[in-house]
């Protein structure tokens, strides 16, 4: 049972790492770009990611458009 929990935790960790890596790549490539462009890129790259609704994508896009990297990387 503990092994199953560990496997699930590792899987979630890797998924989060991939998500933050993608946001970081977009932040580096689109820093200062128009919010709507950044949001379009985010929607394309993060399609199907749980928790990435329009409000969350908009917030991330706004951060990137002013030159911030919300990934923390």
């Amino acid at each position: 049972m503990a092994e199953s929990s560990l496997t699930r935790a590792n899987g979630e960790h890797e998924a989060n790492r991939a998500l933050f890596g993608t946001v970081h790549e977009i932040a580096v490539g689109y820093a200062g770009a128009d919010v709507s462009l950044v949001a379009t890129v985010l929607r394309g790259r993060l399609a199907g990611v749980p928790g990435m609704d329009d409000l969350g994508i908009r917030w991330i896009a706004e951060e990137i458009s002013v030159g911030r990297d919300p990934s923390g990387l």
Side-chain angles (χ1 to χ4, degrees):
M1 179 116 162
E3 186 175 326
S4 176
S5 295
L6 183 58
T7 301
R8 185 174 52 248
N10 283 340
E12 290 173 7
H13 175 75
E14 288 304 315
N16 284 335
R17 189 171 159 178
L19 171 62
F20 283 93
T22 299
V23 170
H24 176 70
E25 288 173 13
I26 295 168
V28 169
Y30 291 88
D34 184 67
V35 172
S36 62
L37 173 61
V38 179
T40 299
V41 173
L42 285 165
R43 280 188 193 97
R45 296 278 304 273
L46 302 178
V49 173
M52 284 291 111
D53 59 7
D54 284 337
L55 189 60
I57 290 204
R58 175 76 182 185
W59 179 83
I60 294 169
E62 288 172 352
E63 291 291 298
I64 292 171
S65 75
V66 296
R68 293 188 195 110
D69 181 354
S71 73
L73 300 178

